[in-house]
Amino acid sequence: MSTYPLIRHRRLRYNPLVRDMVRETVLTKNDLIYPLFVVPGTKVKNPVKSMPGVFQLSIDELVKECKEVRDLGIPAVILFGIPDHKDEVGSEAYDPEGIIQRAIRAVKKEVKDLLIITDVCMCEYTSHGHCGLLLGDEILNDETIELLAREALTHVQAGADIIAPSDMMDGRVAAIRKGLDDNGFQKIPIMSYAAKYASGFYGPFRDAAESTPAFGDRKSHQMDIGNINEALREVAEDIEEGADIVMVKPAGPYLDVIRKVKDTFGMPTAAYQVSGEYAMIKAAGANGWIDEERVMIEAAYAIKRAGADMFLTYFAKDIAKWINKTTK
Ligand code: PBG
């Protein structure tokens, strides 16, 4: 292999136009999925304290926000519902008149050309904040997946385009797939949170979604932070069960997992840049300790460079604006 002085890496770096030509990773608006939180009421826009720029929105405000997101060229939102009423069995999760089901219908009626993805889980709807039905302190797997399948079906009946189960129960993808297929929704894709870690980075989300568990943690179903072989087994299983897109979550601290999943399965792969990743960049930016925009873009590049085809991010609008600003 020839070396310096024949080889000069800087030849491709002197000129910004050349740098643009040889850049291996490109961010596009098609990469972006914007998470939104829906609450009961009208004209509600509650700021989430630990996530500057993120709000809990009532349905009327959500519709306005979705129009703005669509006009920016972002193809998809993912919706999380915070119900009026929580109970032991999370009934509003699968109520056809629940907060999320009403929100989907309202957005679908008013906003064209925007994909609605819905998060399917029980934790926002149960009084105890756990991701499923409890027997004592234990989350029941097989009983819970039946409810998740019902929840997903009500979302699709209301007009959801893609279903994203985030609960990490075993067998939920198969149960949801069957529930959808039996009711004529064969064409609706499932984006499974396939490798979802029991992460401290979800802290701010639990403020936004009011879903902090009343006791204990999520370690009995979410993955151990030290594992990657297990992530591959989780992903393989979800694909077998019918997942169309597989997700790794969180994103930034698990770039190795994204790369491995993409290389192993070659599936459409999503990553979730979660609330804590967002909050850290926002906080350091607000303090003037980092250049927020620059770090936001660098973190997004890292996720794509690791192999993600798309990512969920609270920065979606800011990234879309940056793309609009910097694209000639
Ligand atoms: C569960 C769910 C969570 C997130 C997305 N879906 C929280 C959890 O598992 O505790 C976290 C997302 C984030 O931190 O931004 N419904």
Side-chain angles (χ1 to χ4, degrees), residues 119 123-124 166 196 202 205-206 218 222 249 275 314:
D119 183 88
C123 64
E124 295 114 78
S166 69
K196 174 172 175 180
Y202 308 150
F205 173 93
R206 292 177 190 171
R218 307 219 197 284
Q222 298 180 350
K249 178 181 170 198
S275 54
Y314 304 97

Side-chain angles (χ1 to χ4, degrees), residues 35 37 51 78 80 119-125 129 131 164-168 193 196-206 208-209 211-213 218 221-222 247 249-250 272-278 312 314:
F37 301 95
M51 301 174 75
I78 180 163
F80 297 91
D119 183 88
V120 170
C121 192
M122 302 291 287
C123 64
E124 295 114 78
Y125 303 93
C131 304
S166 69
D167 52 284
M168 290 296 280
Y193 289 68
K196 174 172 175 180
Y197 287 85
S199 170
F201 285 90
Y202 308 150
F205 173 93
R206 292 177 190 171
S211 63
T212 308
R218 307 219 197 284
H221 50 293
Q222 298 180 350
M247 193 201 299
K249 178 181 170 198
Y272 199 146
Q273 183 184 46
V274 300
S275 54
E277 296 177 73
Y278 174 81
L312 297 76
Y314 304 97

Side-chain angles (χ1 to χ4, degrees), residues 192-306:
S192 81
Y193 289 68
K196 174 172 175 180
Y197 287 85
S199 170
F201 285 90
Y202 308 150
F205 173 93
R206 292 177 190 171
D207 290 343
E210 301 175 13
S211 63
T212 308
F215 62 88
D217 54 34
R218 307 219 197 284
K219 290 183 180 165
S220 82
H221 50 293
Q222 298 180 350
M223 282 187 48
D224 188 278
I225 58 173
N227 295 353
I228 185 161
N229 290 325
E230 187 190 2
L232 299 181
R233 296 199 299 273
E234 276 280 4
V235 172
E237 169 98 36
D238 281 9
I239 296 168
E240 287 277 302
E241 290 183 26
D244 303 281
I245 301 171
V246 289
M247 193 201 299
V248 174
K249 178 181 170 198
Y254 295 85
L255 296 176
D256 55 327
V257 182
I258 298 173
R259 169 51 60 201
K260 194 100 187 205
V261 165
K262 185 66 194 175
D263 286 349
T264 306
F265 302 102
M267 288 286 288
T269 303
Y272 199 146
Q273 183 184 46
V274 300
S275 54
E277 296 177 73
Y278 174 81
M280 291 193 312
I281 295 174
K282 284 302 249 190
N287 273 298
W289 296 339
I290 57 169
D291 175 339
E292 181 184 314
E293 184 184 77
R294 194 170 165 191
V295 171
M296 164 185 85
I297 294 302
E298 192 170 335
Y301 265 96
I303 295 165
K304 276 217 73 186
R305 199 182 59 240

